[in-house]
Amino acid sequence: MTLDCLVLGAGIVGVSAALHLQDRGRSVVLVDRAAPGHGTSYGNAGLIERSSVVPYAFPRKLSALLAYGLNRRSDVRYDWSHLPKIAPFLLRYWQASAPKALEASAAALLPLIEVSIDEHRALARRAGAEPLMRAGGWISLYKNPAAFALAAREAEQLRSSHGLAVSILDRASFLALEPAFSEGAPIAGAVHWEDPLSVEDPLALTTAYAALFTHQGGHLAVGDADTLEQDGNSWAVQTAEGRVVARDVVVALGPQSAALLARFGLRVPMAVKRGYHRHYHQEADAMPGRPVVDEDAGYVLAPMRQGLRLTTGIEFAAADRAANDIQLKACETAARHLLDLGRPVEAEPWLGLRPCLPDMKPVIGAVPGLSGLWCDFGHAHHGLTLGPASGRLLADLITGQPPFADAHGFSPARFSG
């Protein structure tokens, strides 16, 4: 099979890239070892995060550093034995979180954030997936009055500087909007980010986009990206249906991307943030109306088809290390102080991997010195949000069209010096 483009990885990022390339007249094969959306794309909080105009930065206050350093927080935990390996990444992450560097990363990401909802709606409309999306935004909930006051001031600043729709909720206003939460819950106040959309089943959304791709003539193939090799001026990979050759290949393998690219000489300083989720059975009148983030404990409660999904924050540990339920149990305990959390739906929680770069920006663009090798990965916490937007930007670059956003800051060349 010979065609224009191979896309390696059928998560939300890879599927979106394949669709945008297909829309530009390219023949595309989408290759993965599993069905679309069954990796990292399955386990997120279901947010299309139009309001996240500032990346998740490394904490710089001494008090926060001490709390994290002592491993006493539920939003971030780390395996002590993994710390020496992750230390160089953490240092670069800390450096990139300095005010001027963070401002530069935010400016680079903003054009993609700004079109994230429009790009999703365009694909969802064509894929018949609009019923999976809910308006109403999401809520940051605070238990500490001082933290709430600070968050309210910062939200007001973002409202004025970026035109975001934001409401500041006192305790009574929050409980009126979200009556599933207990009257006696320790709530100081909340910030309602109204612009974002939420998705009631991220796997179903990725599956719907993949079905649109095949309906339009695209081909899904089962294969192993590790078989990728250069074939003259082309690229080839082995699939269950045989060898597939294409002029261009897109690496959209999420947390597995850096290892593959290292074989071809590109060293990407990517780290993997592990995260867990579990669903809990809720009666209809006990289900929150929108995702709620417990900012003090660092987890999300998101209403899903399967139940109320509790997603944890960050765990730094080896990707292949056995699951550790300490973080999830701490978050579950905190959640039960806020609402009547039902019984777990699954016997065991889900564990997934988020691909993260120290400068908080994804890798989108051509690999220097290797014609036809392209990247689209490293979206950290915003793979669902930015999948369609980054797919559009990548397709612009591959097809030689004027990019809708400045792609320079996302280039793999930033790691080849």
Side-chain angles (χ1 to χ4, degrees), residues 56 98 288 294 316 402:
Y56 291 115
D294 181 343
F316 286 113

Side-chain angles (χ1 to χ4, degrees), residues 141-143 171 174-175 178-189 282 286 288 292-297 299-301 308 310 331-341:
L141 180 148
Y142 295 86
K143 303 168 188 173
R171 174 187 170 80
F174 170 77
L175 291 173
E178 290 290 351
F181 286 77
S182 304
E183 286 285 346
I187 300 168
Q282 301 292 119
V292 175
V293 181
D294 181 343
E295 295 288 355
D296 295 328
Y299 63 89
V300 184
L301 294 170
L308 184 59
L310 188 159
C331 293
E332 180 182 315
T333 298
R336 292 193 185 279
H337 286 111
L338 294 177
L339 79 174
D340 184 15
L341 190 65

Side-chain angles (χ1 to χ4, degrees), residues 373-393:
L373 181 58
W374 300 84
C375 298
D376 190 4
F377 63 87
H379 296 75
H381 301 266
H382 295 314
L384 177 63
T385 295
L386 297 179
S390 62
R392 175 184 166 190
L393 180 60

Side-chain angles (χ1 to χ4, degrees), residues 46-53 113 116-117 121 133-139 164-166 191-199 290-291 385:
L47 294 173
I48 301 174
E49 249 296 44
R50 171 62 184 88
S51 62
S52 283
V53 295
I113 294 288
S116 59
I117 287 178
R121 280 182 167 150
M133 296 179 176
R134 292 182 298 241
W138 64 277
I139 294 175
L164 299 176
V166 183
V191 177
H192 183 191
W193 303 95
E194 300 174 18
D195 294 294
L197 301 178
S198 60
V199 178
R290 57 193 52 74
T385 295

Side-chain angles (χ1 to χ4, degrees), residues 206-233:
T206 305
T207 301
Y209 289 178
L212 173 64
F213 169 72
T214 57
H215 178 73
Q216 295 179 159
H219 188 70
L220 282 171
V222 176
D224 189 342
D226 285 339
T227 64
L228 181 68
E229 61 182 4
Q230 285 185 283
D231 183 357
N233 294 324

Side-chain angles (χ1 to χ4, degrees), residues 103-359:
E103 183 179 347
S105 292
L109 283 163
L110 185 59
L112 275 64
I113 294 288
E114 288 179 328
V115 302
S116 59
I117 287 178
D118 290 339
E119 290 297 325
H120 263 289
R121 280 182 167 150
L123 292 183
R125 184 166 49 250
R126 293 164 54 193
E130 288 177 297
L132 295 171
M133 296 179 176
R134 292 182 298 241
W138 64 277
I139 294 175
S140 294
L141 180 148
Y142 295 86
K143 303 168 188 173
N144 182 287
F148 170 55
L150 176 60
R153 290 195 297 272
E154 292 176 344
E156 292 287 4
Q157 292 171 358
L158 290 176
R159 185 216 308 265
S160 60
S161 63
H162 289 82
L164 299 176
V166 183
S167 296
I168 309 302
L169 307 176
D170 60 18
R171 174 187 170 80
S173 299
F174 170 77
L175 291 173
L177 184 63
E178 290 290 351
F181 286 77
S182 304
E183 286 285 346
I187 300 168
V191 177
H192 183 191
W193 303 95
E194 300 174 18
D195 294 294
L197 301 178
S198 60
V199 178
E200 67 175 27
D201 189 335
L203 173 60
L205 185 70
T206 305
T207 301
Y209 289 178
L212 173 64
F213 169 72
T214 57
H215 178 73
Q216 295 179 159
H219 188 70
L220 282 171
V222 176
D224 189 342
D226 285 339
T227 64
L228 181 68
E229 61 182 4
Q230 285 185 283
D231 183 357
N233 294 324
S234 299
W235 296 86
V237 70
Q238 292 290 338
T239 74
E241 302 166 39
R243 195 165 184 262
V244 181
V245 181
R247 180 177 64 249
D248 294 302
V249 59
V250 177
V251 177
L253 294 165
Q256 287 79 41
S257 299
L260 177 63
L261 289 167
R263 286 178 39 212
F264 299 99
L266 181 67
R267 304 291 176 178
V268 179
M270 189 172 76
V272 169
K273 295 179 181 178
R274 303 193 342 161
Y276 299 82
H277 85 227
R278 202 173 198 178
H279 296 99
Y280 298 82
H281 176 77
Q282 301 292 119
E283 299 297 335
D285 60 354
M287 182 71 79
R290 57 193 52 74
V292 175
V293 181
D294 181 343
E295 295 288 355
D296 295 328
Y299 63 89
V300 184
L301 294 170
M304 297 278 178
R305 282 179 171 178
Q306 302 97 320
L308 184 59
R309 178 179 290 186
L310 188 159
T311 66
T312 68
I314 298 163
E315 182 189 42
F316 286 113
D320 57 356
R321 186 174 175 85
N324 183 338
D325 64 359
I326 293 175
Q327 191 176 32
L328 184 68
K329 284 184 174 179
C331 293
E332 180 182 315
T333 298
R336 292 193 185 279
H337 286 111
L338 294 177
L339 79 174
D340 184 15
L341 190 65
R343 65 182 184 278
V345 173
E346 302 95 349
E348 299 293 335
W350 178 88
L351 168 61
L353 310 174
R354 303 184 188 102
C356 303
L357 279 299
D359 60 6

